[in-house]
């Protein structure tokens, strides 16, 4: 059990205004575990809150701790949790649904109207030494899975949710718009689910080249190739760009009875090719987080079917969160990771 009662926390005070504070270590409620945070991935939503102070209806109105992609070690357990879990390496599913509402009881706990999600105002996240989570959402990490990969199981869960919604099965073909972190992870997830043709489009040549190393069988420059007409119709389209043109063209590339899944954070409203959707009976949907993805994600990484470790291109301490959040301006950056306890030395 931990005997530490104070911790360091990186706090967003306002737009592009960060500080490091000392706060009490959170109390451990019944059914919860206290986790000493090892690694936290930087998500595009963290960057958005940092730069703009809001994402849609979620507005930063008071100091907020960012970070929701994390792994660590159980330091203490609450009443009703097996004490033997202390010392266990875990990856955290960073959400607290109510478990009692209609959506939760239907198995769609990601849509719980009472959800408390890490780093979503007003709920604090994981750029801190310690966090608490209900024990069932602290998923055991095999020794073969690193803390970095454990943290990135969260974006992998987004990819798994997307390919499930897209109906990817062995032999499927899929177009993915955007070769940033989520696009790359979606490509890997699609390959793991059996897709045999994975086309990735991106404006940046370096990103297109990188996608070929992570599952893409083809890459295209959407300024050169007419995505809507030059690509043989695919079974599914996954948008990981949020760009209106990419969404419209991607849907047009979907064949009869196919699916289009919107993952990227784009405009709140955009024009869609309704005639194509109607005439070809294309299913268009979005994803909002995930449900029951961590066991699958852990198995995919542990088996080597998905590589998360090599996605890490930047490592930062808690005093350098600003640099971590601004690292996305580098075209070579893919995933940055924050280490509240200090960046580990290279072995």
């Amino acid at each position: 059990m931990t005997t530490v009662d104070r911790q360091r926390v990186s706090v967003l005070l306002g737009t592009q205004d960060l500080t490091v504070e000392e706060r009490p270590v959170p109390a451990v409620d019944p059914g919860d575990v206290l986790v000493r945070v090892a690694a936290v991935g930087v998500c595009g939503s963290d960057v958005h809150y940092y730069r703009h102070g809001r994402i849609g209806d979620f507005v930063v109105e008071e100091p907020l701790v960012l970070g929701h992609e994390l792994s660590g070690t159980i330091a203490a357990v609450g009443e009703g949790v097996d004490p033997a879990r202390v010392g266990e390496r875990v990856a955290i599913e960073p959400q607290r649904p109510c478990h009692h509402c209609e959506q939760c009881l239907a198995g769609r706990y990601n849509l719980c109207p009472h959800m408390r999600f890490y780093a979503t105002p007003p709920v604090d996240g994981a750029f801190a030494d310690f966090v608490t989570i209900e024990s069932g959402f602290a998923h055991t990490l095999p020794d073969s899975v690193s803390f970095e990969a454990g943290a990135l199981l969260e974006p992998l869960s987004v990819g798994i949710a997307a390919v499930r919604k897209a109906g990817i099965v062995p032999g499927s073909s899929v177009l993915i718009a955007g070769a940033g972190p989520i696009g790359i992870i979606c490509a890997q997830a699609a390959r793991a689910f059996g897709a045999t043709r994975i086309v990735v489009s991106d404006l940046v040549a370096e990103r297109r080249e990188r996608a070929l190393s992570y599952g893409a069988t083809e890459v295209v420059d959407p300024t050169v190739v007419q995505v809507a007409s030059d690509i043989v119709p695919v079974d599914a389209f996954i948008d990981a760009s949020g760009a209106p043109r990419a969404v419209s063209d991607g849907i047009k590339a979907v064949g009869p009875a196919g699916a289009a899944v919107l993952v990227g954070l784009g405009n709140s409203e955009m024009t869609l090719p309704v005639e194509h959707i109607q005439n070809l009976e294309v299913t268009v949907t979005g994803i909002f987080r995930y449900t029951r993805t961590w066991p699958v994600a852990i198995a995919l990484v542990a088996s080597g079917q998905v590589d998360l470790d090599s996605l890490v291109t930047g490592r930062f301490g808690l005093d350098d969160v600003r640099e971590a959040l601004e690292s996305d301006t580098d075209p070579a950056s893919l995933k940055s990771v924050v280490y509240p306890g200090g960046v580990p030395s290279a072995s």
Side-chain angles (χ1 to χ4, degrees):
M1 306 292 282
T2 183
T3 58
V4 178
D5 59 4
R6 305 293 291 178
Q7 66 166 339
R8 298 177 75 236
V9 180
S10 174
V11 183
L12 180 68
L13 300 177
T15 305
Q16 300 185 52
D17 185 6
L18 290 164
T19 189
V20 175
E21 297 179 357
E22 187 176 272
R23 292 184 177 181
V25 170
V28 191
D29 292 332
D32 280 6
V33 295
L34 177 72
V35 176
R36 182 185 291 274
V37 180
V40 191
V42 174
C43 176
S45 66
D46 296 319
V47 175
H48 213 81
Y49 282 128
Y50 167 71
R51 290 200 175 120
H52 307 291
R54 68 183 301 155
I55 298 177
D57 294 334
F58 298 109
V59 181
V60 180
E61 297 178 334
E62 57 188 42
L64 180 71
V65 179
L66 297 173
H68 63 266
E69 305 175 0
L70 72 144
S71 63
T73 304
I74 294 179
V77 299
E79 181 182 349
V81 181
D82 185 355
R85 294 202 69 184
V86 173
E88 189 177 301
R89 300 171 70 253
V90 292
I92 303 305
E93 184 172 346
Q95 49 188 351
R96 287 183 181 271
C98 75
H99 299 293
H100 303 297
C101 71
E102 181 179 350
Q103 297 303 318
C104 284
L105 294 177
R108 299 184 293 264
Y109 62 81
N110 60 311
L111 300 180
C112 173
H114 312 293
M115 176 68 76
R116 292 178 58 80
F117 193 90
Y118 275 29
T120 301
V123 181
D124 282 334
F127 287 158
D129 289 327
F130 293 93
V131 298
T132 59
I133 193 71
E134 62 181 83
S135 62
F137 282 176
H139 300 274
T140 305
L141 277 181
D143 290 340
S144 61
V145 178
S146 70
F147 279 127
E148 288 184 346
L152 300 187
L153 292 175
E154 197 278 343
L156 175 55
S157 285
V158 173
I160 291 169
V163 299
R164 282 175 172 172
K165 278 285 186 102
I168 300 299
V169 295
S172 292
S173 58
V174 59
L175 167 66
I176 300 170
I182 289 297
I184 291 293
I185 286 173
C186 284
Q188 289 201 72
R191 180 180 61 183
F193 272 60
T196 50
R197 184 181 182 220
I198 304 170
V199 185
V200 176
S201 68
D202 198 282
L203 296 171
V204 181
E206 185 176 1
R207 289 187 171 187
R208 293 196 300 273
E209 186 66 25
R210 186 165 54 194
L212 291 170
S213 302
Y214 288 101
T217 59
E218 306 166 43
V219 292
V220 296
D221 180 348
T223 65
V224 175
V225 174
Q226 297 296 317
V227 173
S229 58
D230 292 351
I231 293 178
V232 175
V234 292
D235 299 315
F237 165 61
I238 297 174
D239 178 67
S241 72
R245 175 67 182 273
V247 171
S248 179
D249 287 353
I251 291 174
K252 291 176 184 176
V254 177
V261 182
L262 308 185
V263 183
L265 293 172
N267 295 349
S268 58
E269 295 183 3
M270 60 179 69
T271 301
L272 299 181
V274 175
E275 185 175 5
H276 181 88
I277 293 168
Q278 288 183 319
N279 291 351
L280 276 70
E281 295 192 358
V282 174
T283 298
V284 180
T285 186
I287 66 160
F288 189 64
R289 299 167 184 158
Y290 29 67
T291 59
R292 303 183 305 278
T293 52
W294 257 256
V296 174
I298 290 169
L300 291 179
V301 174
S303 66
Q305 294 182 76
V306 169
D307 174 16
L308 297 178
D309 286 302
S310 67
L311 301 183
V312 179
T313 51
R315 298 171 173 85
F316 304 85
L318 202 62
D319 294 308
D320 303 314
V321 168
R322 182 185 307 277
E323 287 80 359
L325 292 168
E326 294 178 350
S327 62
D328 69 318
T329 58
D330 181 355
S333 176
L334 197 53
K335 287 297 293 187
S336 291
V337 173
V338 172
Y339 301 83
V343 179
S345 58
S347 58

